[in-house]
Amino acid sequence: MVKILYFDYVALIVLLLMVISLAIKKITNGRTNQAFLLLVLTALYTTMYDICTVLLDNRQGSSILLGYLMNIGYLVLRNLIPVMYIFYLVTLTDTWALFKRRRFIYSTWLIPYVIAVLLILSSPITHLAFYIDSNSHYTRGPLFFLLYICATFYIVFYLIYALRYYKQITFKDIIPLLLIIPLQIAALAAQLIYDELLVEMLSSVLSLLFIMLTIQRPDTMHDPVTGLFKKSVFTKAVRLSCLNHNKVRLAFFTITNFQLLSSFISYEQISKLLGFVSQKIIHAAGVIDLDNAELFYMGNGRFSILLSEIDFNRSDAFFNLIKENVPDEYNLDGVSISLPTNLCIINIPEDFSVYEELMAFEQDSYKFKNPDEVIYASDIVKSTNYSIIANIDTILDDAIRNKRFEVYYQPIYSTKHKRFNSCEALIRLNTEKYGFIRPDLFIPLAEENGLINKIDDIVFEEVCKFIASDDFKETGIDYIEVNLSVVQCMQPDLAEKIISTMNHYGVLTRQINLEITETAAEYSQDTIDKNIAALTEAGISLSLDDFGTGYSNMIRVASLPLHIVKLDRAFTFTENNPQLLLVLHNTVDMIKKMNLKMVIEGVETKEKLEQFEALEIDYVQGFYFSKPIPRAQFVEFIKNYKFEE
């Protein structure tokens, strides 16, 4: 009887195309993808062996030994396919830990396959499963039916397992996963009735193809820019980890200024930046040899890494390497941009065992910034700031709506005139539930959620009201310094809003000095330059805040129409640091030669005051004179302060 190979040829072509597609689209990372690839490759090699065995059987005078080798290879692989389906199902449901805990099942589920393999391997001697007759024809042995029983056992096992862990399988995945059962039953039946029709492999291929087009679809799994898994794959993975109580380690790696960057650089540049960071993460995984690490891109400059328990001992080295590989600055098309990052580690189930709680934390984890070291979720949850940060949007909305923000003022001392000639306006927030919230906590979060513009408007309007009041006249203060946030500097209508508010309250341009940071000066230069030009044309002076804390572009600084440069408080810590003292002297000398005024921040002792007076720094600000205080208290302080003779 001549067997028909057409169905096998079709199966072989489809399987080859599947393997090529998986390779080209790089659907080989991650445990589930690797399990599916192994399943496809098993089916491919089985089909190749099947074709070879039939060609040998149809050819008279073939080598009996070669016939045995080919048939053994085919039957061993053919019986392996249902085992690989179970392996794929366990991986897809992420239930390996549960599977191992059921020791009886874990230790016995391969026994039918082992028996089948032993039966096949012994057949050249026993002829129990099959034998090759003197005419080189393949013939089934008396116990061949045991191979069908073995296949049936794994089909039933597969069905029971799928039903047992149906919660770990999404509804849309049920049909393609269960389709294998009727297809295999139909193929087995057809093979028994029509022995010449080789349809078993085609039935397996059809089910694999359906799984690939539904569950393993690359467009639904991988982010096109980074090549990493999408957030939808991440949510499924962590849901299964929580549901199955698996021990996994999760890390969120975030570009903390991503929203700011995306507001002024192009989509192509953002894609280039994300590709750069993702390649650094992939490279780190390769160096540490973490083949089982699953890498995801969550959107908005956020990456996540999922490690199984087997890789815990290498996780610290992996995370540190990522931090080392991603620089603090990145050269993007010839422009150096700041690239601060944040890495937060979560242990499941120790930190979070409930999926909903974990995802709620995921939404807020990027807000916890500590660029110098890795952050642990266990420390964050224990901190008093966790609830504040998790609810910051509600807190800020309530503060704006119910006018809970208050402007404080810190005096600035003129070393030349020996008096307070100005002050700096600083925002403060004191809530009913959380009490006083630090500015360095809520301001960066307000910049990220877009509420900083409303807060900045509140500050500027309060300052203008103060200047327009009789209280201000009694202080003898010349002007008030107001900080402009990075986000505020990027608003096209900034100058128009500021001038309009000043005109509304009758504030003179000489009574306001606006402070911009080095970071603001570097970002979106076209927008900031237009704003600066409009403000200076209106007669408003500008100062550069926190000078010396960043990577100062002196050409950029020199090109700005600045009136004052504020030296960061870091310059006050020159004790036992001759190099910093040298930098201070050179910086002061350079700024003087640029004909700019200077303010030194953070002065807390009389000795420091005298040191900076000796350097002929124009203005001094710090706790030596006063901390920032509310308006009424500030007015009384200025009126009653007695300067030392």
Side-chain angles (χ1 to χ4, degrees):
M1 178 181 61
V2 178
K3 294 183 178 180
I4 301 173
L5 283 172
Y6 298 133
F7 296 111
D8 268 2
Y9 289 144
V10 172
L12 180 63
I13 293 171
V14 174
L15 287 167
L16 285 171
L17 291 175
M18 289 174 67
V19 172
I20 293 171
S21 177
L22 291 172
I24 291 175
K25 296 178 180 179
K26 299 180 180 180
I27 316 176
T28 55
N29 295 325
R31 288 168 293 177
T32 304
N33 285 342
Q34 291 170 354
F36 183 73
L37 178 62
L38 286 174
L39 178 55
V40 173
L41 289 174
T42 303
L44 174 65
Y45 292 134
T46 304
T47 304
M48 293 170 65
Y49 268 100
D50 194 23
I51 292 172
C52 290
T53 58
V54 172
L55 291 175
L56 283 172
D57 192 49
N58 290 341
R59 179 184 175 185
Q60 292 190 3
S62 299
S63 168
I64 294 177
L65 176 60
L66 184 60
Y68 272 115
L69 291 175
M70 288 295 103
N71 279 280
I72 288 173
Y74 165 71
L75 291 173
V76 168
L77 288 172
R78 182 67 188 90
N79 282 271
L80 181 61
I81 288 178
V83 177
M84 294 304 297
Y85 264 103
I86 294 172
F87 176 76
Y88 171 69
L89 179 62
V90 174
T91 306
L92 182 68
T93 55
D94 197 18
T95 49
W96 273 113
L98 297 176
F99 192 67
K100 292 178 180 178
R101 287 179 206 142
R102 289 164 171 77
R103 296 187 179 276
F104 176 77
I105 297 177
Y106 182 65
S107 59
T108 60
W109 76 292
L110 283 176
I111 290 178
Y113 178 67
V114 172
I115 293 174
V117 170
L118 292 175
L119 182 64
I120 294 166
L121 293 176
S122 64
S123 286
I125 299 174
T126 64
H127 295 183
L128 293 177
F130 75 96
Y131 61 92
I132 308 296
D133 63 19
S134 57
N135 294 320
S136 301
H137 289 312
Y138 165 86
T139 304
R140 292 176 178 176
L143 297 184
F144 187 87
F145 71 93
L146 290 178
L147 301 184
Y148 282 103
I149 293 176
C150 175
T152 303
F153 167 82
Y154 284 112
I155 289 174
V156 173
F157 188 102
Y158 179 89
L159 177 61
I160 293 174
Y161 203 90
L163 295 176
R164 172 66 179 82
Y165 296 107
Y166 72 94
K167 291 182 179 180
Q168 282 84 338
I169 306 171
T170 58
F171 181 76
K172 67 181 182 63
D173 295 341
I174 290 291
I175 294 177
L177 286 173
L178 295 183
L179 183 66
I180 178 64
I181 296 175
L183 284 175
Q184 286 294 302
I185 292 174
L188 288 171
Q191 201 78 58
L192 283 171
I193 299 172
Y194 305 102
D195 192 42
E196 72 279 5
L197 293 178
L198 304 179
V199 295
E200 286 186 68
M201 293 314 305
L202 184 60
S203 71
S204 295
V205 169
L206 289 176
S207 64
L208 288 173
L209 185 60
F210 198 32
I211 289 174
M212 184 174 176
L213 294 175
T214 53
I215 301 175
Q216 299 293 130
R217 283 176 57 190
D219 57 321
T220 62
M221 296 179 65
H222 290 84
D223 175 70
V225 174
T226 63
L228 306 181
F229 289 123
K230 288 183 177 181
K231 185 175 181 178
S232 57
V233 182
F234 167 82
T235 56
K236 179 179 178 180
V238 296
R239 183 181 70 85
L240 290 176
S241 294
C242 292
L243 192 62
N244 298 330
H245 305 289
N246 293 340
K247 289 181 69 66
V248 297
R249 184 158 293 162
L250 180 64
F252 296 127
F253 186 71
T254 306
I255 303 171
T256 58
N257 65 341
F258 183 80
Q259 288 186 328
L260 184 62
L261 289 172
S262 61
S263 66
F264 71 87
I265 65 176
S266 67
Y267 174 79
E268 290 75 17
Q269 290 174 316
I270 283 290
S271 299
K272 186 181 295 185
L273 174 63
L274 292 175
F276 168 77
V277 175
S278 64
Q279 286 304 310
K280 291 296 183 182
I281 296 174
I282 294 170
H283 177 260
V287 170
I288 305 300
D289 194 25
L290 295 177
D291 295 331
N292 291 321
E294 296 191 63
L295 311 176
F296 309 85
Y297 179 60
M298 312 286 284
N300 294 321
R302 306 191 63 208
F303 301 82
S304 62
I305 301 129
L306 189 64
L307 301 178
S308 59
E309 189 174 6
I310 193 174
D311 292 325
F312 281 8
N313 61 331
R314 290 174 289 173
S315 62
D316 288 344
F318 175 48
F319 297 143
N320 289 330
L321 186 59
I322 292 175
K323 293 287 289 182
E324 292 174 8
N325 284 353
V326 179
D328 295 331
E329 284 200 341
Y330 175 62
N331 190 296
L332 184 62
D333 297 335
V335 178
S336 182
I337 63 171
S338 177
L339 198 64
T341 57
N342 180 38
L343 198 148
C344 178
I345 296 176
I346 301 169
N347 289 308
I348 301 174
E350 290 85 354
D351 297 333
F352 297 98
S353 59
V354 179
Y355 167 73
E356 289 75 14
E357 292 179 357
L358 173 62
M359 294 310 294
F361 179 85
E362 182 270 331
Q363 293 293 323
D364 297 313
S365 63
Y366 74 96
K367 301 174 183 176
F368 298 89
K369 297 181 177 63
N370 190 349
D372 296 327
E373 59 185 45
V374 174
I375 306 171
Y376 291 87
S378 56
D379 296 332
I380 293 175
V381 174
K382 294 175 185 176
S383 71
T384 56
N385 292 333
Y386 176 65
S387 179
I388 294 174
I389 293 178
N391 297 284
I392 194 64
D393 293 349
T394 302
I395 293 170
L396 294 179
D397 281 332
D398 174 74
I400 292 171
R401 187 171 56 254
N402 296 302
K403 299 181 179 179
R404 302 190 189 280
F405 287 107
E406 187 174 358
V407 178
Y408 279 37
Y409 299 90
Q410 185 174 33
I412 298 175
Y413 175 74
S414 170
T415 59
K416 179 180 180 180
H417 298 101
K418 306 300 180 183
R419 70 178 183 89
F420 297 124
N421 77 309
S422 61
C423 64
E424 181 178 3
L426 299 161
I427 190 70
R428 294 293 183 264
L429 174 58
N430 197 353
T431 64
E432 290 183 351
K433 181 176 181 180
Y434 299 101
F436 181 79
I437 300 178
R438 301 193 324 269
D440 63 340
L441 181 61
F442 74 80
I443 288 178
L445 300 175
E447 288 180 342
E448 289 168 358
N449 65 17
L451 291 175
I452 191 64
N453 286 323
K454 292 183 179 180
I455 297 173
D456 288 334
D457 290 344
I458 291 171
V459 173
F460 194 73
E461 185 165 7
E462 287 299 316
V463 169
C464 288
K465 286 180 181 179
F466 180 30
I467 295 174
S469 70
D470 292 334
D471 286 343
F472 183 75
K473 297 181 179 66
E474 293 178 9
T475 64
I477 295 294
D478 298 329
Y479 60 88
I480 297 179
E481 297 186 351
V482 182
N483 292 283
L484 297 180
S485 68
V486 175
V487 176
Q488 193 177 14
C489 287
M490 291 163 50
Q491 301 304 307
D493 61 345
L494 170 66
E496 181 183 344
K497 286 172 62 177
I498 286 176
I499 295 169
S500 175
T501 304
M502 291 174 64
N503 290 338
H504 177 74
Y505 289 98
V507 175
L508 303 177
T509 54
R510 60 179 170 79
Q511 294 176 308
I512 289 288
N513 181 76
L514 299 175
E515 296 184 5
I516 61 174
T517 63
E518 287 186 72
T519 306
E522 289 300 318
Y523 282 139
S524 193
Q525 294 188 10
D526 289 342
T527 302
I528 189 65
D529 284 348
K530 289 178 182 178
N531 281 327
I532 288 175
L535 291 168
T536 53
E537 186 178 345
I540 301 172
S541 62
L542 297 172
S543 63
L544 186 68
D545 195 15
D546 298 330
F547 184 80
T549 60
Y551 297 88
S552 307
N553 183 338
M554 294 311 303
I555 295 177
R556 174 66 174 156
V557 171
S559 68
L560 295 172
L562 300 172
H563 178 63
I564 299 172
V565 172
K566 298 190 74 172
L567 304 179
D568 186 71
R569 63 182 293 114
F571 285 113
T572 64
F573 302 106
T574 55
E575 297 88 349
N576 304 317
N577 193 337
Q579 291 183 325
L580 181 58
L581 185 61
L582 179 63
V583 171
L584 171 62
H585 280 270
N586 288 334
T587 301
V588 170
D589 185 57
M590 176 186 64
I591 295 173
K592 283 181 180 179
K593 289 179 179 179
M594 295 171 67
N595 295 318
L596 297 174
K597 300 291 184 181
M598 280 174 286
V599 179
I600 180 71
E601 298 181 288
V603 174
E604 299 183 359
T605 65
K606 184 177 181 180
E607 291 73 23
K608 285 296 176 185
L609 172 62
E610 292 172 348
Q611 176 189 358
F612 294 118
E613 283 181 320
L615 285 172
E616 297 181 348
I617 290 180
D618 305 279
Y619 308 109
V620 173
Q621 179 180 351
F623 281 13
Y624 174 70
F625 294 107
S626 173
K627 64 181 181 180
I629 49 181
R631 169 177 158 174
Q633 189 177 338
F634 173 78
V635 172
E636 290 300 314
F637 171 82
I638 296 295
K639 288 165 62 177
N640 299 321
Y641 190 85
K642 303 296 182 182
F643 293 97
E644 295 183 8
E645 296 296 332

